[in-house]
Amino acid sequence: MMDKIIVKGGNSLKGEVRISGAKNAALPILISSLLAEGVNTYTNVPDLMDIHSTTMLLAKLGARVDIDGDTVRIDAAGLIEHEAAYDLVRKMRASVLVLGPLVARLGKARVSLPGGCAIGARPINLHLKGLAALGASIELKHGYVEASAGRLKGADIYFDIVTVTGTENLMMAAVTAQGTTVLRNAAREPEVVALADTLVKMGADIEGAGTSIITINGVSSLNPIETAIIPDRIETGTFMMGAILTRGKVTLLDCEPNHLGATINILRRTGADIDTTANAIYVSAKGDVASVDVKTQPYPGFPTDMQAQFMVLMSIAEGTSMISETIFENRYIHVSELIRMGADIKVDGNIAIVKGVPHLSSAQVMATDLRASASLILAGLVAEGTTEVNRVYHLDRGYESIEKKFAGLGAEIQRVR
Ligand code: EPU
């Protein structure tokens, strides 16, 4: 049976919450273990469904995986399989990240094409075009990508669209290629930088990660390492918005304020007080929330992964705000549920017009996307009455102990079976 989360609205969030390691940094970094023989040790790994899917995939490929609390050890010396099957890729699109490392290490990979998902079509054409430029031959057969190559050769690759996992996949393919690869219009997300830092620790030669031009000089082999996963900036932003929504006073610990520039800037304009130290953020809010227009952009812009949560904040703000989603074509699946909770939102194409209402009211809701589900929890925290969020499966993919963390801040929230 599926769990659900029950939230009774009305409590102000108060106190301290510890931020977990970043899902979207941990996924490519765990997968980068495929590039070296020997035991890699990863710390601050969040306990999430997507992480379990990843370690299961790596184990299927022949890696030895050992999980001890938030420490994960992976040794891919015994890498024997080269296939990521439909079952796993369907559950977690990020499984396509094994493509680059498998081709680099084994000279072949067979990975199920992910297909669309709730938030859009999400093709991987740019991953494949880049791998082909590095010398892999690519065939699409029976719903699978089959890639094969001898040693990959460095190439100059331009991304038509900024793609996070595309940049990561090609970075992992290129680290042991012969010669120099240049990735242009590369993603600048902190998770891309975290992966590059990990690969450099392993002995790779990478420059420019965090800018839109990444240069990779191929090396002959990589070594195992020990590294810590960076804090989750989306979890951080979600709790910041929870604090503001409930006019609370929250300290976020073990986070990385430098990765949240656009978010902090926009949340300050809603009227919240936000202070930062090296690895903590202090948020407090009183009185009305001001409306602010937001457009999602690749990093360092405002993240698409925070759009749904921000919409909840705007739905109880003074005045009207315009939200533009420029990354995914269909990332408004939370809108109809928020309307059922009393929000006043109109969507036209990729633009949502959100007119603040004085109160949301509780309802039974569900969503088919991780961040949309998080937005429904936030809505439940301020709604009048008791909200029931179904299909918690999506939340468990990407938020560690979300109900315990909110309960720790004084919310009336619990998981029921
Ligand atoms: N795109 C293409 N062709 C490609 C690749 C991407 O057209 O070959 C398009 C996509 O369809 C989309 C845009 O480019 O319209 C950007 O997508 P991107 O490739 O950057 O997304 P992703 O790498 O699949 C990662 C995160 C997402 C996050 C996006 C955008 C991981 C594992 N996932 O996805 O995270 O929304 O970047 O920042 O890093 C989440 O955590 O809830 C989540 C969905």
Side-chain angles (χ1 to χ4, degrees), residues 54-72:
T54 303
T55 52
M56 244 163 64
L57 171 58
L58 295 171
K60 268 202 170 149
L61 294 170
R64 284 188 46 186
V65 178
D66 169 59
I67 301 173
D68 175 11
D70 72 354
T71 299
V72 176

Side-chain angles (χ1 to χ4, degrees), residues 23-24 122-126 163-165 305 327-328 371:
K23 168 179 83 82
N24 289 348
R122 302 184 76 183
I124 58 162
N125 57 311
L126 301 175
T163 161
V164 176
T165 52
D305 287 344
I327 308 294
F328 293 110
R371 309 303 170 184

